[in-house]
Amino acid sequence: DNYRSDFSESASITKLKTPSIRTIENVATGIRIEWANVSDTCNYRVYRRAAGEAEPTLIAEGIIKPIEGYIDDTVENNVFYVYFICGVKNGVECPQKQSRLIKYVNTPKNIKLSIVSEGIKVEWDAVADATMYRVCHRLKDAYNWKMGPIVTDTSCIVNPSYYGSTFEFSILYI
């Protein structure tokens, strides 16, 4: 009745917490994802599933600084994506947790500025499938953007109230 094995053989595994996505946003070159660091995690893998795909695809691995995030520059305009971030340690991956759904939209390019009697004329190249744009401006090197008019054309005139100042302009496809 004293039959019992000892603890001479064992196995161990680290159960990792699933990273939570802090930011997922459209940027000029694609979709930027930033997530919270998970303790005891050596690196991260990024998976993506596009609309209509059944399974997520590994698109990046070996990322060690989640605060710097990852930019997926292989996205296509007007396509919805879901991203998954997994921590990896000693070859063991944490469970996948779905992020928010995001639609990638191209950034309007080739912004041209000119001074006209009514203010500053802003022009840009059209984005495929875009029906509306928002023109934004700020004082050069300022942090906050001022939301300007929503327009359906690829140009408009904006009249910022500061004379003798240098302005930056950006166009959002909405």
Side-chain angles (χ1 to χ4, degrees), residues 29-31 48 59 70-76 81 83 104:
T29 55
I31 294 177
R48 178 186 77 195
I59 60 169
Y70 172 76
I71 295 177
D72 180 1
D73 61 1
T74 64
V75 292
E76 295 179 25
Y81 296 97
Y83 289 87
Y104 178 69

Side-chain angles (χ1 to χ4, degrees), residues 1 126 147:
D1 289 42
M147 296 295 141

Side-chain angles (χ1 to χ4, degrees), residues 35-80:
W35 56 93
N37 191 29
V38 176
S39 61
D40 298 323
T41 300
C42 294
N43 58 54
Y44 298 88
R45 291 179 182 155
V46 179
Y47 292 86
R48 178 186 77 195
R49 188 178 74 226
E53 294 178 349
E55 296 295 322
T57 302
L58 176 66
I59 60 169
E61 61 183 327
I63 300 169
I64 56 173
K65 294 184 179 178
I67 197 71
E68 293 175 5
Y70 172 76
I71 295 177
D72 180 1
D73 61 1
T74 64
V75 292
E76 295 179 25
N77 193 39
N78 287 324
V79 174
F80 285 94

Side-chain angles (χ1 to χ4, degrees), residues 61-156:
E61 61 183 327
I63 300 169
I64 56 173
K65 294 184 179 178
I67 197 71
E68 293 175 5
Y70 172 76
I71 295 177
D72 180 1
D73 61 1
T74 64
V75 292
E76 295 179 25
N77 193 39
N78 287 324
V79 174
F80 285 94
Y81 296 97
V82 176
Y83 289 87
F84 306 83
I85 309 298
C86 295
V88 181
K89 182 171 182 161
N90 299 328
V92 177
E93 186 174 281
C94 73
Q96 293 182 357
K97 183 177 180 183
Q98 182 172 330
S99 75
R100 295 186 314 262
L101 181 69
I102 187 167
K103 179 181 180 181
Y104 178 69
V105 291
N106 284 333
T107 300
K109 306 241 189 296
N110 298 318
I111 298 172
K112 297 172 200 81
L113 305 173
S114 57
I115 303 293
V116 295
S117 60
E118 299 89 0
I120 299 171
K121 184 174 185 180
V122 185
E123 301 174 278
W124 58 92
D125 291 347
V127 173
D129 301 321
T131 57
M132 292 190 296
Y133 304 91
R134 181 181 289 273
V135 179
C136 305
H137 71 277
R138 66 181 176 186
L139 288 169
K140 185 163 177 57
D141 300 323
Y143 181 76
N144 292 323
W145 289 92
K146 294 188 186 240
M147 296 295 141
I150 294 174
V151 297
T152 57
D153 200 359
T154 56
S155 69
C156 77

Side-chain angles (χ1 to χ4, degrees), residues 5-11:
S5 66
D6 63 13
F7 294 104
S8 62
E9 183 151 339
S10 65

